[in-house]
Amino acid sequence: MAETQSIGAFLDDLASERSTPGGGGAAAISGAMGAALVSMVCNLTIGKPKYVEVEAELKEVLAESERLRAELTTAIGDDVKAFDAVMGAYGLPKGETDDEKAARTAKIQAALKEATDVPLECARLCAEVVKLSKVVAHKGNLNVVSDAGVAVQSAYAGLMSAALNVRVNAKSIKDRDFAEERLAELEELLSEARSETKLIYGVVKDKLG
Amino acid sequence: MAETQSIGAFLDDLASERSTPGGGGAAAISGAMGAALVSMVCNLTIGKPKYVEVEAELKEVLAESERLRAELTTAIGDDVKAFDAVMGAYGLPKGETDDEKAARTAKIQAALKEATDVPLECARLCAEVVKLSKVVAHKGNLNVVSDAGVAVQSAYAGLMSAALNVRVNAKSIKDRDFAEERLAELEELLSEARSETKLIYGVVKDKLG
C-alpha cells in the first residue's frame, strides 16, 4: 500500500537508484493531489449560504473527485507492479527451444500491454480531474479559487507524466493495433486537457484579480 | 514535519474542509517530486561506463537536485505556517483606538508579505528544478529519459501552482512596491520556465521515439 508510506520516504525512494517508484508513481500522486484539491474546494463551498445555488452540483462533483482520488491513490502502487512485471519478464531465462523462446516473448508482450494500460488508466483519471476542476474554478468558493487552479495544474501534470509511460511501453509492443489504439486515445485525452487546462487556469487567474 | 505524514493522510487533509494544507503544500510536493526524479536519473546514470563522459556534470546536478529536494520538502510545511499566520492576524481583535487598529493592520500586512515570499521561494526552487531537468533529459541514461520528462512536468506544475499563491497574497499587500517587485520576478520565472518546459518535454518525447 503505497499511500501508507510517508511523503519523505516516498521522495527518498523516488530519488534513489532503484527504478521504482518512478515517474508513473509521481504521475498518480499529481493526479490524486488534483482530485483532493477539487474535493477541498467543494468541501469549503457546500453548506455556505452564499453558494446554496451550486450546492447540489458541487455535492456531485465531490462524490466524483473522491472516487477519482481513491483510484489515483491505488494507481501509485499499480505503476510499481506493472513495471516490476515487465522487468521480471525480461529477466526470464531466454530459453533453448523455440517454444521456450516464444513463451518468454509472450510473457514480455503481456507485461508490456499491462504496463501501457496502467498509465493510460492514470491518464484517463487525471483527464477527469481536469474536467471537475473546471466546475470548481467557475462555481466554487471564491476564497479558495487558487486551490482550483492548483488542482487543474496538478491533474494536467499527472496526465502529461502518465502519457510518457504509455509511450515508452507502447513502442515495444508488437501488436501494433493494440498500441496504436492506446496512443490514439492518449492523444485525444492530451489534446482536450491541454486547452481546458489553459482556459481553467486563466479563469482562476482572472478571479484572483 | 509535513514529510513524516503518510501520503494517504496528506491527501485526506488536502481534500478536507480545513484550509491547510492546500494548494501551496501541493505545489511544494510537485516541486520535490520533480527534484527527486532529477536525482533518480542522475543516480541511474552515474557509474555506468556508457555515460562516463557526463558523470562529473551529473554528480554536480545530483548535489543540486538533492539540495532543492530538501528545501522543497521543508516548503511543504512552510506554506501551512504562512497561511496560519495570515489567518491568525485577521482573527485578532479589531481594536478600539487608532493605535490598536494600526497595530492589527501592521500584523496582517507583515503576515501577507511572508505569505507572498514563501510561495515565491517555492516558485524559485521549482524553476531551478526545471533547469536541472534539461540537463538530465539531454545527458541522462536513455532508459529513464521518461522520468526526466516527468521531472520537468512536475516542477513546472509546482511553479504554476506556487504562482497562484503569490498572486492571491500579493494583491492584498498595501506596500505596492513590495508586491510589484515580487510579481515581476514571478513573471520572469514563469515566462522562462514555460518555454523551457515545452522544449524539454519535446526532447524527451523525441527520445522515446
Side-chain angles (χ1 to χ4, degrees), chain A:
Chain A
M1 304 291 275
E3 71 266 32
T4 59
Q5 195 177 28
S6 77
I7 294 169
F10 174 81
L11 290 168
D12 286 344
D13 283 356
L14 197 60
S16 78
E17 74 291 348
R18 288 184 299 281
S19 299
T20 55
I29 290 184
S30 291
M33 290 199 298
L37 286 164
V38 169
S39 298
M40 177 189 170
V41 179
C42 291
N43 279 320
L44 285 163
T45 307
I46 295 164
K48 299 269 190 294
K50 197 176 158 188
Y51 295 96
V52 68
E53 280 186 18
V54 298
E55 182 156 324
E57 185 176 0
L58 290 204
K59 278 182 178 169
E60 282 175 31
V61 170
L62 177 59
E64 269 299 283
S65 59
E66 286 299 278
R67 178 185 66 79
L68 293 167
R69 178 162 77 92
E71 292 191 28
L72 282 157
T73 303
T74 305
I76 306 169
D78 290 347
D79 178 73
V80 174
K81 282 179 224 153
F83 183 91
D84 288 345
V86 172
M87 288 298 109
Y90 276 117
L92 289 172
K94 301 232 162 152
E96 303 279 318
T97 69
D98 284 352
D99 275 2
E100 286 168 354
K101 285 177 190 165
R104 177 175 177 270
T105 301
K107 279 192 182 158
I108 292 171
Q109 287 296 314
L112 283 170
K113 284 184 174 180
E114 179 68 11
T116 302
D117 277 340
V118 164
L120 181 58
E121 178 60 16
C122 179
R124 284 188 199 113
L125 296 168
C126 289
E128 288 189 60
V129 176
V130 169
K131 284 182 191 162
L132 295 183
S133 315
K134 188 176 184 174
V135 186
V136 293
H138 280 282
K139 302 183 178 175
N141 188 332
L142 190 62
N143 291 336
V144 284
V145 71
S146 66
D147 296 293
V150 178
V152 74
Q153 210 60 52
S154 300
Y156 183 62
L159 171 51
M160 290 285 279
S161 299
L164 294 174
N165 281 347
V166 173
R167 290 188 207 288
V168 76
N169 292 304
K171 81 170 174 183
S172 305
I173 293 176
K174 290 180 178 172
D175 178 351
R176 292 318 297 163
D177 285 347
F178 177 99
E180 295 302 337
E181 196 185 294
R182 270 68 183 173
L183 291 169
E185 181 184 345
L186 182 66
E187 286 305 336
E188 248 180 77
L189 290 171
L190 286 168
S191 155
E192 191 179 351
R194 188 178 301 121
S195 51
E196 283 288 287
T197 299
K198 204 175 274 188
L199 280 173
I200 300 164
Y201 192 86
V203 165
V204 170
K205 215 179 132 182
D206 287 349
K207 286 197 176 193
L208 289 178

Side-chain angles (χ1 to χ4, degrees), chain B residues 12-43:
Chain B
D12 286 343
D13 284 355
L14 197 60
S16 78
E17 74 291 347
R18 287 184 299 282
S19 300
T20 53
I29 289 184
S30 291
M33 290 199 298
L37 285 163
V38 169
S39 298
M40 176 190 171
V41 179
C42 290
N43 280 320

